[in-house]
Amino acid sequence: MTEDLVVAEGLVKRYPVRGRGLLPAVDGVGLRIERGTTLALVGESGCGKSTTGRLLLALERPDEGTVSVAGRKVHELGRRELRALRRTMQPVFQDPYDSLNGRMTVERIVAEPLRVHHADGDRAARVRELLETVTLTPDLAGRYPHELSGGQRQRVAIARAIALDPAFVVCDEPVSALDVSVQAQVVNLLRRLQDERGITYLFISHDLALVRHLARRVAVMYLGRIVEEGAAGELFADPRHPYTRLLLAAAPRPRVRERPAAVTAAGEPPSVLGGRTGCAFAPRCPLATDRCRAEDPVLRTLPGTDRKAACHYAEAAGAGAA
Ligand SMILES: Nc1ncnc2c1ncn2[C@@H]1O[C@H](COP(=O)(O)OP(=O)(O)OP(=O)(O)O)[C@@H](O)[C@H]1O
Ligand SMILES: [Mg+2]
């Protein structure tokens, strides 16, 4: 039996934008993550990925919508219940340099969640065990973050995140700040931890190619909304939304000989949503018609598939990577 550990419905989060009032950074996002699997959330800078991640972790409160983790609505919990739930949900952020306290030793950093949540047992032994799990040698325990390499620092952040055996981890661009050679090691570590511990991941990335072999499903986000969602293999083989194709065309894919039909981006993405008519992607879309400029496409399941896309022409011949 499969089960969705994380279910978000209709999430809206608005922020004040200077001179323009409140604008939605997240604008009606729904997603489901099956227990023990990875959902990748992909899109350009500013599209609302991190905000979505924070909403799922109950680090922020949505203006509308709900988040359920293991069947419990996280924003309806009392303080004590939320505290208990927090143990089971952890973030790993992009830059371990910012997210690790530079004045603490590795040992203290990794022990911190154990201390905060009053975990019983021999903490020093547990820290050694955690460092081993993330393939760091125990002699690093006395070092400070600035004495470590980027990859080592991210392993420390991961050790801290898994210290309390979380069920759900939001990885927000966890390898974007690392050298390419180190990226694969950290991605492999995250995968191994998932295999061993059944962790469920939301893996946030602006790099579609990176998530190809990592995610069971992929959700593509554009200006606060999910515009395409589907099984990773199928989505890569046959993207249905022009924006997904744009991202795929932009991604370096050394082993792939054929590229999907090139999509050119006209101009930069708007940084925030205004009141809009029609499809938000229309100004950049090579396929846009008058209908696209007039009628906002809803995210819908494409007939006979488990793919969703928010494009009037998602089924059109030639819309895929033909
Ligand atoms: N706390 C905040 N206050 C005001 N605006 C915010 C806040 N957090 C995010 N925003 C705005 O919401 C939008 C989405 O931001 P978010 O950080 O979620 O995007 P992102 O997809 O994670 O981008 P990146 O790839 O650059 O990390 C942006 O326009 C951002 O400026
Ligand atoms: Mg972000």
Side-chain angles (χ1 to χ4, degrees):
M1 267 306 286
T2 59
E3 176 212 346
D4 291 325
L5 179 72
V6 180
V7 179
E9 283 170 348
L11 288 179
V12 176
K13 181 71 188 178
R14 300 182 190 91
Y15 292 117
V17 175
R18 200 149 44 98
R20 302 181 62 190
L22 286 172
L23 291 178
V26 170
D27 190 19
V29 163
L31 44 85
R32 298 172 163 270
I33 317 178
E34 194 181 307
R35 194 185 276 276
T37 74
T38 300
L39 172 72
L41 185 61
V42 180
E44 287 160 303
S45 183
C47 71
K49 304 180 297 293
S50 295
T51 304
T52 302
R54 290 196 303 272
L55 291 170
L56 295 192
L57 289 172
L59 296 173
E60 288 205 64
R61 179 167 281 281
D63 295 309
E64 293 171 33
T66 58
V67 175
S68 304
V69 176
R72 309 176 73 202
K73 293 219 165 72
V74 301
H75 295 99
E76 291 176 4
L77 299 177
R79 277 182 60 181
R80 285 184 57 188
E81 291 171 304
L82 187 58
R83 190 181 151 84
L85 187 74
R86 281 254 157 77
R87 288 184 64 140
T88 73
M89 312 199 292
Q90 295 290 327
V92 173
F93 294 110
Q94 170 170 355
D95 191 348
Y97 214 65
D98 288 345
S99 65
L100 303 180
N101 186 333
R103 289 190 305 251
M104 286 193 189
T105 61
V106 166
E107 161 142 37
R108 273 192 65 197
I109 289 167
V110 177
E112 181 83 353
L114 303 171
R115 190 182 62 73
V116 169
H117 287 276
H118 308 295
D120 298 328
D122 182 346
R123 272 184 219 148
R126 181 87 182 106
V127 169
R128 279 195 301 277
E129 203 182 298
L130 284 162
L131 292 180
E132 231 165 78
T133 302
V134 300
T135 64
L136 289 175
T137 50
D139 60 288
L140 292 180
R143 306 256 186 101
Y144 290 87
H146 72 268
E147 299 176 297
L148 307 178
S149 70
Q152 287 174 330
R153 277 198 294 269
Q154 198 55 298
R155 286 169 197 277
V156 170
I158 292 168
R160 178 181 59 179
I162 64 168
L164 295 164
D165 257 321
F168 177 44
V169 175
V170 172
C171 302
D172 192 348
E173 306 265 11
V175 301
S176 305
L178 303 177
D179 291 345
V180 173
S181 58
V182 183
Q183 286 189 351
Q185 296 167 16
V186 173
V187 164
N188 287 337
L189 169 63
L190 290 168
R191 293 178 67 156
R192 174 166 63 77
L193 293 173
Q194 180 169 63
D195 290 344
E196 290 172 2
R197 295 161 178 246
I199 301 174
T200 304
Y201 290 128
L202 179 74
F203 191 98
I204 293 173
S205 177
H206 62 273
D207 181 355
L208 195 48
L210 180 77
V211 305
R212 190 182 196 117
H213 302 290
L214 180 70
R216 163 105 34 115
R217 297 185 72 83
V218 176
V220 178
M221 200 166 178
Y222 187 75
L223 285 182
R225 296 195 187 168
I226 308 286
V227 295
E228 179 158 11
E229 198 269 338
E234 292 166 21
L235 185 137
F236 277 93
D238 183 20
R240 289 277 127 195
H241 195 287
Y243 180 61
T244 311
R245 289 202 291 284
L246 171 73
L247 287 180
L248 278 172
R253 297 180 307 132
R255 279 191 298 269
V256 178
R257 263 177 252 121
E258 280 172 63
R259 299 176 76 82
V263 178
T264 48
E268 287 297 300
S271 58
V272 283
L273 297 165
R276 64 183 172 203
T277 7
C279 175
F281 187 61
R284 299 173 72 193
C285 183
L287 306 177
T289 64
D290 287 344
R291 183 182 176 198
C292 302
R293 286 179 280 270
E295 191 187 323
D296 194 0
V298 295
L299 186 66
R300 62 199 166 88
T301 303
L302 305 181
T305 71
D306 73 345
R307 184 86 60 92
K308 288 181 181 158
C311 174
H312 296 308
Y313 301 107
E315 293 100 333

